[in-house]
Amino acid sequence: MEKRTDMPMVGVGVFVFDEKLQKFLLGKRKGSHGAGLYSLPGGHLEKGETLTECAIREVKEETGLEIEDVCILTARDEFFPVENLQYATIYLFARRKGVDEPKNMEPNKCEGWVWYKMIGIEEVDIEVHPPVYDVLVESVIGFVIGKKYGVKK
């Protein structure tokens, strides 16, 4: 899909959570906005696709993982002035299905995938893509520990 900079696009970002590890998945981006920063599996919503279908497809395409219990956390309007891109980004939460380890299925777009603890992420020596960090702090941590943030099933 060719990126259009004249109109906003719909993107999804998926917080893939492993309950056993109590960690979520981040990958170091390359070749697009946020290059060099850690971010989530995700991408563009395709015509006729639901948000859940998009999340499942993008996670599988990028990491090889299967996910379940997909639900919407929050939505954000994001503008990236350097690239002249605007997104309506829907952030979703999903649980890792099975025990497979993530694979770097798109090495031209990501340096690799790593599991990180949610609590204490600010103490980890990585640079998280700012919109992802904001959603992590505002919605995900509270969602995981049972508070009412974002939209739950």
Side-chain angles (χ1 to χ4, degrees):
M1 168 186 235
E2 187 177 324
K3 287 186 183 176
R4 294 182 58 186
T5 59
D6 60 332
M7 295 183 63
M9 295 175 280
V10 178
V12 299
V14 186
F15 285 90
V16 178
F17 185 66
D18 183 297
E19 283 190 286
K20 185 176 180 180
L21 298 174
Q22 290 293 296
K23 294 181 178 183
F24 69 102
L25 196 61
L26 287 176
K28 193 170 186 182
R29 297 174 63 97
K30 61 184 194 181
S32 67
H33 67 284
L37 303 175
Y38 284 82
S39 197
L40 305 168
H44 295 99
L45 181 69
E46 294 180 358
K47 186 174 182 177
E49 188 174 50
T50 68
L51 292 168
T52 297
E53 291 167 343
C54 181
I56 291 168
R57 176 183 55 78
E58 287 288 353
V59 170
K60 184 74 170 174
E61 285 178 2
E62 294 180 14
T63 72
L65 295 177
E66 292 189 16
I67 56 175
E68 59 189 356
D69 300 328
V70 180
C71 60
I72 298 170
L73 281 172
T74 191
R76 294 174 62 104
D77 179 28
E78 298 171 338
F79 182 65
F80 304 97
V82 173
E83 299 87 354
N84 192 31
L85 296 174
Q86 183 176 3
Y87 281 88
T89 305
I90 314 301
Y91 289 94
L92 299 103
F93 179 89
R95 296 185 201 301
R96 173 190 192 182
K97 184 177 180 180
V99 295
D100 292 339
E101 285 301 316
K103 299 177 188 92
N104 191 4
M105 307 293 284
E106 298 180 330
N108 59 320
K109 296 180 181 179
C110 178
E111 290 185 24
W113 299 99
V114 182
W115 295 102
Y116 285 95
K117 288 186 176 185
M118 289 190 175
I119 309 298
I121 190 71
E122 65 279 353
E123 297 168 9
V124 177
D125 191 24
I126 63 168
E127 199 170 344
V128 178
H129 198 224
V132 171
Y133 184 83
D134 291 346
V135 173
L136 174 65
V137 171
E138 295 167 7
S139 298
V140 177
I141 293 172
F143 183 82
V144 170
I145 61 175
K147 294 185 179 176
K148 294 183 181 178
Y149 287 83
V151 179
K152 298 196 320 188
K153 273 186 171 178

